[in-house]
Amino acid sequence: MKNKIFIISSFIYSLLAVPALPLCAQSPVTGVSYVDSLQNILKGKQSDSLRIATLLLLSDYYSDKDTSLAVQYVRKAAGYVKQNSFQAALVQFYTAGVYFDTDFKRSEAGYLRAEQLLRRFAGKAALVYRARAWNNYGALRQRQDDELQYARILLDHVIPLSQQAGDSARMARNYHNLGMIFSNQLDYTKAKSYLSSAISILEKIAPNSLEMADAYMFASKNYIYLKDYPPIRPMLDSAYDILSEDPNSVYLIDFYLVEGMYYSRLRQYAKAMESFDKGILLCDKLGKAYDRRGIMLQIYFTYKAQENYPKALQTMKAIMRSKPPITRYQDRMLYYYELAQTSEKVGDMTGAYQWLRRYTELADSSYQERTKAEIADLEAKYKSVEKEKKINDLQAKNERATLTIKNNRLLSWLLAVVCLFLLVVTVLVLLFYRNNKRLWAQQQQLHELELQKIKQDHRISMLSAMLDGQERERTRLARDLHDGLGGLLSSIKIELSQLSDKQHVPMKVGIHKTLSHLDEAVNELRRIARSLMPEILMKYGLAEATKEFCKNLKETGANLVCQVFNYKDSMPREKQIVIYRIIQELVNNALKHAQASQILVIIQQSGDTLFVTVEDDGKSFDINKTNTKAGSGLSNIKARADFLNARFEIQSAPQKGTTVTVECDML
């Protein structure tokens, strides 16, 4: 029977790394309610991890009841897992479990593959599943008459992995399995020791688990072989208390088998047959052919103990006709021998002879195989002795050669150390020279950078002084023009207006014409004053001053558009004046030199950065040529941009006009 432990809440939490299933009120062996609880989880909206865990539990539950249904559940789980994940390795493990009873080779390959996949993951869960994979693989080898390999697997793989994981439940299973192996080898006393250890652990950690019931039943069977009957009945009763909640539990088959054996040894044959019949019915219901054959064999021994040889012979022949065929030669030897004895008891000497001949042939073939193995072992030992002699001779030669090699090697090492020392010294000298050379170059670069910084600071200082002087001079000129010449022109206009009241018609016409020219002169004076230092710039800031500048030019006939986006008047006035001068210079150049018909001025603020763009559709120019020539207008613009530490960019192409962008910080 496949090794399982159904401790549901801790099982899912610790091994699948998802929240524990809400089954705390469920017994781990309650058949219908257990399955219904798992099905109810699938009906709700759950995480993929919980859904995978539930589907794998359902697959494990049905693996020895309904293989097709178990395959469906494990395939559904595979649809949710990610490639190369821990859960993908678990799907491989449970897929192998589906074929445990039906396809040994496929199941073996699946467990080995699962164990390899699980090696990539650390933690208790991976160690526990690796131990389970090795254990189930060993159990499959045991079913194929390789019980010694199963024992080696337990000792070399299963027990060390379980100890690393600190898994008491798995250690109990290991003790249980070792007890079964020793019992099969007829060493019932040692088997009793291991089985007692398993029971002692399980009574502490899982007193109501299927594992506990299985340990009680096999320990009871071992006590039957020891003919120590008093401890058996309490163990069987405890096992039945656990199993009775699920009438279709596969573990009940073993219970009815052991209970029947117990009654048979006590010569309570009616009770024995009653237990065997219950086991046969459950085997037929669950489709457990191997377990049915084991119960039939005990029915045979019961009939034989009652000296009811015809019934015994009939039962044994039914065993021989059962499916699947009997493959273990030890089983066939037992069946042939029992058939020969029983046939003799019923007087069928011919049948007894035929069965005995089959038994002898099988025993002889087994003996021949063992003889061949012993001869091969002796031959191997002989060859080993011969090889040992040759090895001793070679060792003597090798020792002499080794001494010579050691001396030569020592000399070589000394030479190598000297060469290595010289190489290290050379490398250190080269590194020292390169580092000094690099340091000198870095010092030279640093000195050049400092000189450039000094020159840059001096240039900026000169630009600042120049621009400051220009702005002061512009302010003085604007004030003088407005206050001096502007006032004088206004006085002349007033005086002429008084003369125009006289009735001398020719003089009146001339005076009106002169007044018109004076209005134009006053307006032009005001425009020049505003151009030199716009009052609106000082009061309302860059945006309003630029709009007013564009509006005034538009009144003269220029097609000029000004757009302002997200501008906040937080820039220092000194910077605003410089940017205003740049806009003035760019617009005047577009009107005078580029002969533009349309001009677009854009002021846009993005965060702490101001973008000023002046775009026209006038004649383009060669940027490289202009850069080398450095005209006065463009030089002034670049000088102001450098003063602001701004980024200045010009784009000019034939038939596409010119676009100038200035980008600077607001602060």
Side-chain angles (χ1 to χ4, degrees):
M1 182 175 295
K2 186 167 53 172
N3 303 324
K4 306 177 189 175
I5 300 179
F6 288 95
I7 306 173
I8 302 304
S9 58
S10 62
F11 172 83
I12 293 182
Y13 178 78
S14 62
L15 302 187
L16 294 184
V18 298
L21 291 174
L23 297 178
C24 298
Q26 299 290 337
S27 169
V29 292
T30 54
V32 177
S33 59
Y34 170 70
V35 174
D36 288 345
S37 298
L38 295 176
Q39 294 287 2
N40 289 335
I41 293 173
L42 294 179
K43 293 177 182 178
K45 292 184 179 180
Q46 305 291 350
S47 65
D48 286 348
S49 297
L50 184 57
R51 188 171 295 275
I52 292 167
T54 307
L55 289 169
L56 292 179
L57 284 179
L58 284 167
S59 172
D60 194 55
Y61 178 81
Y62 283 109
S63 62
D64 51 13
K65 298 177 179 63
D66 188 338
T67 302
S68 61
L69 192 57
V71 170
Q72 291 179 21
Y73 281 122
V74 79
R75 286 179 178 174
K76 286 182 181 179
Y80 290 101
V81 302
K82 295 180 181 179
Q83 191 175 7
N84 298 324
S85 65
F86 178 70
Q87 291 171 327
L90 295 188
V91 168
Q92 183 67 41
F93 174 86
Y94 282 99
T95 301
V98 169
Y99 301 102
F100 188 90
D101 291 321
T102 57
D103 191 338
F104 291 169
K105 296 299 180 184
R106 187 170 182 177
S107 186
E108 285 178 357
Y111 282 126
L112 291 177
R113 175 61 178 160
E115 199 277 333
Q116 289 178 349
L117 294 175
L118 289 164
R119 289 182 186 180
R120 295 181 295 182
F121 303 98
K124 179 178 178 179
L127 292 171
V128 169
Y129 266 106
R130 287 177 61 193
R132 292 183 65 185
W134 275 116
N135 183 75
N136 291 354
Y137 173 76
L140 288 168
R141 298 306 307 164
Q142 183 189 36
R143 284 193 173 190
Q144 300 173 71
D145 296 334
D146 200 352
E147 195 163 48
L148 291 179
Q149 185 177 357
Y150 184 28
R152 285 194 293 270
I153 289 172
L154 285 172
L155 295 171
D156 296 341
H157 299 290
V158 182
I159 291 177
L161 288 171
S162 300
Q163 288 175 338
Q164 290 180 45
D167 186 359
S168 300
R170 187 56 44 189
M171 289 303 298
R173 166 52 64 184
N174 296 336
Y175 289 139
H176 187 173
N177 292 339
L178 284 172
M180 289 193 294
I181 292 174
F182 283 114
S183 182
N184 293 339
Q185 298 298 320
L186 308 183
D187 192 348
Y188 303 123
T189 303
K190 189 171 288 187
K192 174 184 173 182
S193 174
Y194 282 110
L195 291 169
S196 298
S197 298
I199 290 173
S200 177
I201 294 174
L202 290 171
E203 284 178 342
K204 296 177 181 178
I205 65 171
N208 296 318
S209 65
L210 291 176
E211 187 81 3
M212 185 77 260
D214 196 24
Y216 280 143
M217 290 186 293
F218 200 88
S220 298
K221 186 187 293 187
N222 193 69
Y223 277 118
I224 291 172
Y225 296 143
L226 285 170
K227 298 181 180 180
D228 185 4
Y229 301 117
I232 296 174
R233 188 68 259 178
M235 287 188 177
L236 289 177
D237 291 341
S238 298
Y240 188 75
D241 288 341
I242 298 172
L243 300 173
S244 59
E245 296 185 33
D246 182 7
N248 293 323
S249 173
V250 70
Y251 286 87
L252 280 173
I253 296 174
D254 275 352
F255 173 80
Y256 292 132
L257 171 65
V258 177
E259 186 181 51
M261 292 172 63
Y262 169 68
Y263 285 131
S264 181
R265 296 307 188 274
L266 295 180
R267 300 184 181 277
Q268 298 179 19
Y269 299 119
K271 289 184 178 181
M273 295 304 295
E274 182 180 350
S275 297
F276 291 145
D277 289 341
K278 290 178 181 179
I280 291 292
L281 288 174
L282 191 55
C283 286
D284 293 340
K285 184 176 182 179
L286 300 179
K288 308 300 290 183
Y290 287 105
D291 296 323
R292 191 181 196 281
R293 186 180 292 162
I295 295 177
M296 291 289 290
L297 181 61
Q298 293 303 321
I299 292 175
Y300 163 79
F301 285 128
T302 301
Y303 282 133
K304 185 178 178 182
Q306 298 177 72
E307 297 183 357
N308 189 348
Y309 297 113
K311 282 283 189 180
L313 183 60
Q314 181 182 354
T315 303
M316 183 56 70
K317 287 182 177 180
I319 293 174
M320 295 300 297
R321 293 191 300 269
S322 63
K323 300 292 183 180
I326 303 167
T327 56
R328 296 180 76 241
Y329 78 88
Q330 294 96 332
D331 291 343
R332 284 188 285 129
M333 285 177 62
L334 173 64
Y335 297 151
Y336 293 158
Y337 182 77
E338 293 295 335
L339 281 167
Q341 279 194 333
T342 310
S343 297
E344 179 186 2
K345 293 293 184 182
V346 298
D348 183 7
M349 304 307 295
T350 302
Y353 171 74
Q354 291 176 349
W355 291 117
L356 186 60
R357 186 180 64 182
R358 290 190 184 184
Y359 167 78
T360 305
E361 289 174 353
L362 189 60
D364 288 344
S365 64
S366 176
Y367 174 75
Q368 289 174 2
E369 290 177 2
R370 289 196 300 271
T371 302
K372 288 180 181 179
E374 291 175 359
I375 291 173
D377 185 53
L378 289 173
E379 184 179 6
K381 290 180 179 179
Y382 172 75
K383 290 181 178 179
S384 176
V385 171
E386 291 296 320
K387 288 180 180 179
E388 189 175 352
K389 290 181 179 179
K390 292 180 180 179
I391 289 172
N392 290 333
D393 293 338
L394 289 173
Q395 282 180 346
K397 294 180 181 179
N398 288 338
E399 287 177 358
R400 292 192 294 272
T402 301
L403 182 60
T404 303
I405 292 171
K406 283 183 178 180
N407 292 333
N408 293 335
R409 188 178 297 169
L410 180 60
L411 181 61
S412 299
W413 273 108
L414 289 174
L415 292 174
V417 169
V418 172
C419 293
L420 182 62
F421 175 76
L422 294 175
L423 179 63
V424 170
V425 171
T426 304
V427 170
L428 290 175
V429 171
L430 288 174
L431 289 175
F432 180 75
Y433 171 74
R434 288 180 61 185
N435 288 336
N436 284 343
K437 185 177 180 181
R438 188 182 302 161
L439 181 62
W440 180 81
Q442 290 176 350
Q443 290 176 346
Q444 287 293 109
Q445 291 177 358
L446 183 61
H447 180 66
E448 291 177 1
L449 289 174
E450 289 177 350
L451 290 177
Q452 291 178 4
K453 185 176 183 300
I454 292 171
K455 291 179 181 179
Q456 183 73 9
D457 292 343
H458 179 67
R459 183 166 174 267
I460 291 174
S461 177
M462 291 180 64
L463 284 173
S464 178
M466 180 186 70
L467 292 175
D468 187 52
Q470 287 181 354
E471 292 303 326
R472 285 199 298 270
E473 186 64 19
R474 285 173 182 267
T475 302
R476 186 187 65 77
L477 287 173
R479 185 171 59 251
D480 291 346
L481 287 173
H482 185 272
D483 296 341
L485 185 57
L488 180 61
L489 290 175
S490 297
S491 299
I492 294 172
K493 180 180 177 181
I494 292 170
E495 292 174 358
L496 288 174
S497 297
Q498 292 175 353
L499 291 174
S500 66
D501 294 337
K502 297 180 179 181
Q503 299 300 319
H504 193 276
V505 176
M507 182 179 292
K508 188 175 183 178
V509 173
I511 290 172
H512 279 297
K513 188 174 181 180
T514 303
L515 286 173
S516 176
H517 290 314
L518 281 173
D519 287 337
E520 292 176 0
V522 170
N523 290 335
E524 181 65 17
L525 180 64
R526 289 174 179 173
R527 186 188 68 79
I528 293 171
R530 283 197 299 268
S531 177
L532 288 171
M533 180 52 64
E535 185 178 358
I536 191 172
L537 175 64
M538 305 309 294
K539 289 184 177 180
Y540 302 107
L542 175 65
E544 296 301 325
T546 304
K547 289 179 181 179
E548 181 68 17
F549 170 69
C550 294
K551 178 182 176 183
N552 292 335
L553 285 179
K554 195 170 184 180
E555 291 175 354
T556 65
N559 188 3
L560 189 64
V561 177
C562 178
Q563 296 178 348
V564 179
F565 301 101
N566 302 326
Y567 177 74
K568 298 177 181 179
D569 191 24
S570 59
M571 180 180 282
R573 284 289 184 265
E574 294 79 6
K575 279 192 173 184
Q576 294 189 36
I577 293 172
V578 175
I579 292 174
Y580 181 78
R581 297 302 180 201
I582 291 174
I583 293 174
Q584 277 185 319
E585 190 73 32
L586 290 172
V587 172
N588 290 332
N589 287 344
L591 291 172
K592 294 178 182 179
H593 305 296
Q595 298 177 4
S597 61
Q598 291 183 346
I599 302 174
L600 175 63
V601 178
I602 300 175
I603 298 175
Q604 181 178 3
Q605 180 178 345
S606 177
D608 293 331
T609 304
L610 180 68
F611 297 89
V612 176
T613 303
V614 178
E615 183 176 352
D616 65 70
D617 61 349
K619 294 186 295 183
S620 60
F621 59 92
D622 189 345
I623 299 174
N624 296 326
K625 185 176 180 180
T626 303
N627 286 340
T628 56
K629 188 176 180 180
S632 60
L634 192 58
S635 297
N636 288 336
I637 295 171
K638 289 183 177 179
R640 287 185 170 92
D642 290 340
F643 173 72
L644 294 175
N645 196 22
R647 189 174 68 87
F648 180 74
E649 181 181 355
I650 302 176
Q651 294 179 351
S652 183
Q655 307 301 326
K656 293 184 179 180
T658 303
T659 301
V660 180
T661 302
V662 178
E663 176 185 344
C664 68
D665 294 332
M666 291 290 296
L667 301 179

